[in-house]
């Protein structure tokens, strides 16, 4: 009997273990900030007031005063203190944001052409057989590494640079998703390369004058070759995996690329790139006559929870919902809110993603039976079939069954790995206190603060 029970536990593990482990991970991360964290939406501030609180002028603190900042700085190092997302409001942020917008600007047709060209070049390297089994995130990272290199330096990306960028971005995203520990030495290799490349000149835009030369390199590495590559790769994975699992949508999109706007809106609604956005209040925020959020509160805005409200059948992937009148006013903030630092790539992203997706669909059909989640720690297993060499349905079904079974069992051990590594990194980040120690010696604008010598009483004690 004991043997039968043990066998039943093992065989049913894919059904129950990942969810239990995820719940444990959530508990671990809830402990990072203690009792001053407020999650939105909640019982007091529902989805109808979500954007109101998110947009409040006092919800503008970025890093100072939140234990969660130590964890994000740990994940995003080197140079998290000059990462655009984590800079406090002030002249340095304004300078950095202005530079980022300049790098990301340009005529739409040129931005599209670069995206299509980079996608085609990578696909020519990878898709060399009638059938190719890939992890979509691994496939797309080189595409966006080349893309953002070209936007920054105005020239095609050398293979050495592409490998270094992919290595750095992959290390960042694995740490963020707790599927791997961070490797500072691996990231430092890209830092050294960028230091030499920036010294050689030839950038498309001047770098922020308020940053030191080292900070300028860290700004490029964190903003364009970390966050931008990771976010665009994840966005592309979600789009392609949705098309792989909804062939009717893929077929319609292949014949009408104007439909892409609906596909992207629905993908970003169901699988938002941001899980939780945290802000620290720099002043009081009154919620009603009885409740006020004090200064120093850590506000956590849940994109998945918010996107899951205000829509009929919210768990169903349905791009046609975006053709209905009034849906644009629904709960949907894929790039954040305008009043609280929206994603600077809000214009570029749809343009580049449309061009890259079109290039993919011209070359292959996509097939996948894996579980599609927002965080996608599996990296998006998928079968690519060249459009000029279609597979028999029987072989596609066999490949689909293989992917499904492998994905379910991978999910078991991967969820345990995420729990263990996530806990290790939380503890290590709390010990290092990267954000806390920085603000012990710097003000909100990055200026060193004078350290008062200890008093005679402190010395004698």
């Amino acid at each position: 009997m004991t043997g039968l029970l043990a066998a039943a536990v093992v065989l049913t593990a894919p059904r129950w273990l990942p969810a239990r482990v995820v719940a444990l991970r959530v508990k671990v991360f809830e402990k990072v900030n203690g009792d001053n964290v407020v999650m939105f939406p909640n019982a007091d501030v529902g989805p109808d007031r979500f954007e109101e609180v998110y947009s409040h002028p006092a919800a503008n603190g970025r890093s100072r005063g939140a234990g969660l900042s130590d964890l994000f700085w740990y994940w995003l190092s080197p140079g998290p203190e000059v990462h655009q997302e984590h800079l406090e409001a002030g002249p340095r942020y304004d300078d950095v944001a202005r530079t980022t917008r300049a790098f990301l600007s340009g005529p739409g047709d040129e931005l599209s052409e670069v995206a299509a060209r980079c996608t085609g070049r990578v696909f020519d390297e990878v898709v060399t057989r009638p059938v190719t089994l890939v992890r979509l995130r691994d496939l797309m990272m080189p595409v966006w590494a080349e893309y953002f290199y070209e936007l920054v330096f105005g020239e095609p990306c050398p293979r050495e640079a592409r490998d270094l960028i992919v290595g750095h971005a992959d290390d960042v995203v694995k740490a963020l998703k707790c599927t791997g520990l961070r490797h500072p030495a691996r990231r430092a290799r890209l830092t050294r390369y960028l230091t030499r490349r920036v010294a050689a000149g030839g950038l498309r835009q001047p770098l922020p004058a308020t940053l030191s030369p080292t900070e300028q390199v860290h700004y490029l590495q964190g903003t364009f070759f970390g966050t931008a590559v990771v976010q665009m790769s994840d966005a592309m994975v979600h789009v392609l995996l949705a098309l792989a699992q909804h062939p009717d949508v893929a077929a319609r999109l292949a014949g009408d690329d104007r439909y892409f706007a609906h596909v992207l809106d629905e993908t970003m609604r169901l699988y938002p790139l941001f899980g939780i956005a945290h802000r620290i209040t720099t002043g009081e925020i009154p919620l009603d006559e009885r409740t006020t959020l004090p200064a120093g509160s850590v506000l956590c805005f849940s994109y998945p929870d918010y996107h899951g409200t205000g829509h009929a059948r919210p768990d169903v992937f349905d791009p046609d919902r975006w053709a209905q009148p009034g849906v644009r006013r629904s709960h949907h903030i894929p790039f954040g809110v305008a009043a609280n630092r929206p994603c600077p790539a809000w214009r570029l992203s749809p343009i580049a993603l449309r061009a890259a997706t079109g290039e993919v669909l011209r070359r292959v059909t996509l097939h996948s039976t894996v579980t599609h989640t927002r965080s996608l720690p599996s990296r998006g297993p998928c079968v690519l079939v060249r459009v000029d060499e279609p597979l028999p349905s029987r072989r596609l079904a066999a490949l689909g069954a293989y992917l499904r079974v492998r994905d379910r069992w991978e999910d078991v051990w991967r969820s345990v790995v995420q729990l263990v590594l996530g806990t290790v990194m939380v503890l290590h980040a709390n010990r290092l206190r990267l954000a806390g120690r920085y603000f012990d010696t710097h003000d909100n604008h990055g200026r060193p603060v004078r350290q008062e010598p200890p008093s005679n009483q402190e010395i004698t004690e």
Side-chain angles (χ1 to χ4, degrees), residues 119-134 136 139-140 359-360 363-366 382-389:
T119 303
R121 189 157 51 233
V122 171
F123 266 65
D124 284 342
E125 294 177 11
V126 176
V127 185
T128 58
R129 302 186 303 273
V131 181
T132 307
L133 179 60
V134 298
L136 288 170
L139 176 67
M140 296 312 304
E359 188 68 22
V360 171
R363 294 166 176 266
V364 298
T365 59
L366 305 119
C382 188
V383 175
L384 308 182
V385 180
R386 285 168 47 165
V387 294
D388 55 349
E389 300 184 57

Side-chain angles (χ1 to χ4, degrees), residues 28-29 32-33 66-77 80 86 175-176 178 182 278 421-430 433-436:
V28 171
F29 289 114
V32 172
N33 272 299
L68 197 59
S69 300
D70 287 326
L71 185 57
F72 276 101
W73 281 39
Y74 177 87
W75 280 332
L76 297 175
S77 62
H86 295 279
L176 284 167
C178 300
R182 67 171 193 158
H278 81 281
L421 298 188
T423 303
V424 168
M425 287 188 284
V426 165
L427 295 175
H428 194 201
N430 284 349
R433 288 189 64 244
L434 294 180

Side-chain angles (χ1 to χ4, degrees), residues 173-245:
V173 74
K174 283 179 178 176
L176 284 167
K177 298 181 187 298
C178 300
T179 58
L181 297 174
R182 67 171 193 158
H183 299 85
R186 185 178 303 164
R187 303 180 186 196
R189 289 196 284 271
L190 177 59
T191 307
R192 291 192 293 271
Y193 176 89
L194 290 175
T195 300
R196 297 192 301 270
R197 182 61 187 82
V198 169
L203 282 76
R204 289 182 57 247
Q205 302 292 336
L207 294 173
T210 53
L211 303 184
S212 70
T214 298
E215 289 174 333
Q216 289 176 341
V217 170
H218 285 161
Y219 154 71
L220 286 179
Q221 183 166 347
T223 302
F224 295 101
F225 304 126
T227 297
V229 172
V230 168
Q231 296 284 44
M232 289 293 281
S233 297
D234 270 5
M236 194 72 183
V237 173
H238 285 304
V239 169
L240 295 182
L241 198 55
L243 295 177
Q245 298 184 342

Side-chain angles (χ1 to χ4, degrees), residues 269 310-316 321:
R269 182 196 68 81
H311 298 274
R313 302 184 307 154
D315 297 330
V316 175
R321 76 172 76 241

